[in-house]
Amino acid sequence: MNNPFLQLNNIQQSYGDHIVVDTLSFALKKGTIGCLLGPSGCGKTTVLRCIAGFEKIHSGEIVLNGALLSSAEKFVPPEQRHIGMVFQDYALFPHLNVTDNVGFGLYRLNKTDKQQRIHELLDTMHLSQVIHKYPHEISGGQQQRVALARALAPRPNLLLLDEPFSNLDVNLRERLSMEVRDILKQQHITAILVTHDQAEAFTVADEIGVMHQGVIQQWGTADNLYHHPSNRFVADFIGQGTLLPGIMQDSHHVKTELGVLPVTLTLQKTDRDDNNTNCEVEVLLRPSDIEFDASSSIQATIINKAFRGAEVLYTVRLNSGLTLLLLATSSIWHKIGDRIGIQVRSDRSKTITAFGQQ
């Protein structure tokens, strides 16, 4: 990556003998929204705390805008890093009203410039109607906006968001995550979001790193992570899907119960021979990869279905007993117990990923 604005080079952090972050690296260009996505305990919040300067790293480097912030030999204190942070519980000051919370970090500005910056952010965050209210007097969504405004007020070089939507209900979380992305893009802010919720990650972030046991398993766009996962953990953590057994016929084709499928990426190859012919593999099929086809010779039985408004998620059982997920428009309606024909969608076959058998 050319001229990264934020760069983490092989950072490591541990508590005693327990390694929490293990030689982790990634980089972001200016104005990019990145995300660390993973289950609880994978080390993603620790990475955020290391970037903010709340924790020291044992090895590696953290560089922001060309300046070294952390290494084994150097440590810049948090207050000198010019980094903003939005905490999971917002950490608003209960004794200060909305206006004073937003302006808390603007003590270096004169009164006129301070008031101008506060009102600018209150307008951007749609908080003009609650400027004199205290945190306990406003809704969770409004508290989230106040916390974001307070973090943005000093114009930080980088904004860190630690599970900022986790205390909100599902509908509000979805709406606010889109609003936050729009605001960050309008303000040209470089940011990192930490979350365990892939829907949030997909909505807010430009680039996502999937973490497991202190290591980034894969870094990429949502589309790339979903359709081209680098290993089974990413395949399982991102979205729904089924691993269908098959035999590699050559380096680009695998024979399965659903026919011979073209694959453009084969991972974790066995070393039986150079081109993996006859190797056992598992093909990752997402619900959107399968479609109903009345003329297909491949038959399956519908054993479950979940109505999702515009779509229905069907669970179907093949003759072998293997189950697959199939996502179809709700205008197509089948009953549990129906025998139907299915096939792999021709427009999805070029994106299929295969894994070598473990």
Side-chain angles (χ1 to χ4, degrees):
M1 180 182 292
N2 296 327
N3 302 318
F5 186 70
L6 172 70
Q7 191 159 12
L8 276 66
N9 299 318
N10 298 315
I11 71 164
Q12 187 173 77
Q13 168 68 309
S14 59
Y15 302 126
D17 295 331
H18 177 56
I19 297 176
V20 180
V21 180
D22 191 5
T23 57
L24 180 142
S25 300
F26 70 86
L28 289 179
K29 289 183 177 179
K30 188 173 179 59
T32 300
I33 304 173
C35 174
L36 296 176
L37 171 67
S40 297
C42 71
K44 56 188 184 296
T45 294
T46 298
V47 174
L48 217 63
R49 292 178 60 81
C50 290
I51 296 171
F54 299 149
E55 296 187 23
K56 295 182 179 180
I57 59 175
H58 298 154
S59 61
E61 294 180 336
I62 299 175
V63 179
L64 179 63
N65 198 20
L68 178 63
L69 299 183
S70 290
S71 70
E73 296 78 27
K74 182 175 180 178
F75 178 77
V76 176
E79 64 274 15
Q80 297 178 20
R81 295 191 177 205
H82 207 49
I83 293 175
M85 190 160 185
V86 178
F87 297 92
Q88 184 174 354
D89 60 358
Y90 312 139
L92 298 177
F93 300 109
H95 63 291
L96 299 181
N97 63 23
V98 168
T99 299
D100 292 338
N101 261 285
V102 173
F104 182 79
L106 299 178
Y107 51 87
R108 290 189 176 92
L109 298 183
N110 62 49
K111 185 176 180 180
T112 300
D113 290 343
K114 180 178 179 178
Q115 290 302 315
Q116 182 178 345
R117 179 61 174 160
I118 291 172
H119 288 299
E120 173 189 329
L121 285 165
L122 291 173
D123 288 340
T124 299
M125 302 294 174
H126 309 295
L127 292 169
S128 299
Q129 303 302 315
V130 295
I131 59 175
H132 299 302
K133 292 190 175 183
Y134 290 84
H136 71 276
E137 298 175 320
I138 59 178
S139 69
Q142 290 169 329
Q143 289 179 34
Q144 196 265 358
R145 289 194 192 94
V146 174
L148 180 59
R150 185 181 62 183
L152 291 177
R155 304 185 191 275
N157 287 329
L158 177 69
L159 181 68
L160 307 178
L161 302 110
D162 187 8
E163 304 253 14
F165 311 108
S166 61
N167 294 327
L168 306 175
D169 64 64
V170 174
N171 292 333
L172 183 58
R173 186 185 311 160
E174 183 177 352
R175 179 165 58 83
L176 280 179
S177 62
M178 290 188 287
E179 288 182 8
V180 166
R181 175 179 169 81
D182 289 343
I183 290 167
L184 295 179
K185 287 301 182 181
Q186 290 167 8
Q187 302 279 325
H188 305 291
I189 298 293
T190 308
I192 301 176
L193 167 72
V194 157
T195 182
H196 63 275
D197 187 325
Q198 63 178 281
E200 283 180 19
F202 289 178
T203 299
V204 177
D206 302 308
E207 301 174 6
I208 302 165
V210 179
M211 283 191 65
H212 180 52
Q213 296 181 342
V215 176
I216 291 181
Q217 303 291 315
Q218 186 175 354
W219 186 277
T221 63
D223 181 75
N224 192 47
L225 294 173
Y226 186 81
H227 291 299
H228 297 296
S230 63
N231 56 44
R232 282 179 175 82
F233 177 82
V234 178
D236 183 60
F237 192 79
I238 299 292
Q240 297 172 300
T242 304
L243 290 172
L244 180 70
I247 301 293
M248 290 298 298
Q249 292 192 325
D250 56 43
S251 59
H252 296 291
H253 295 86
V254 57
K255 184 178 181 180
T256 74
E257 190 175 354
L258 299 182
V260 176
L261 306 177
V263 292
T264 56
L265 184 61
T266 303
L267 305 172
Q268 300 176 356
K269 298 180 181 180
T270 62
D271 56 2
R272 187 174 302 177
D273 54 39
D274 291 339
N275 62 11
N276 292 308
T277 303
N278 297 322
C279 290
E280 294 181 352
V281 298
E282 292 175 313
V283 177
L284 174 65
L285 293 176
R286 300 295 192 187
S288 57
D289 294 334
I290 313 296
E291 65 181 355
F292 292 121
D293 181 4
S295 64
S296 175
S297 61
I298 303 168
Q299 295 290 299
T301 303
I302 296 176
I303 61 173
N304 206 346
K305 63 182 181 181
F307 182 72
R308 296 184 173 181
E311 298 171 322
V312 179
L313 181 65
Y314 290 92
T315 304
V316 301
R317 180 184 289 123
L318 300 175
N319 292 334
S320 66
L322 184 74
T323 59
L324 298 174
L325 296 174
L326 185 156
L327 193 63
T329 173
S330 57
S331 62
I332 301 173
W333 190 258
H334 292 286
K335 301 187 300 295
I336 293 176
D338 283 355
R339 289 281 290 173
I340 43 86
I342 64 170
Q343 68 171 4
V344 176
R345 287 175 51 185
S346 58
D347 60 335
R348 301 306 300 175
S349 61
K350 293 181 180 179
T351 66
I352 289 174
T353 296
F355 298 91
Q357 291 275 18
Q358 291 182 324

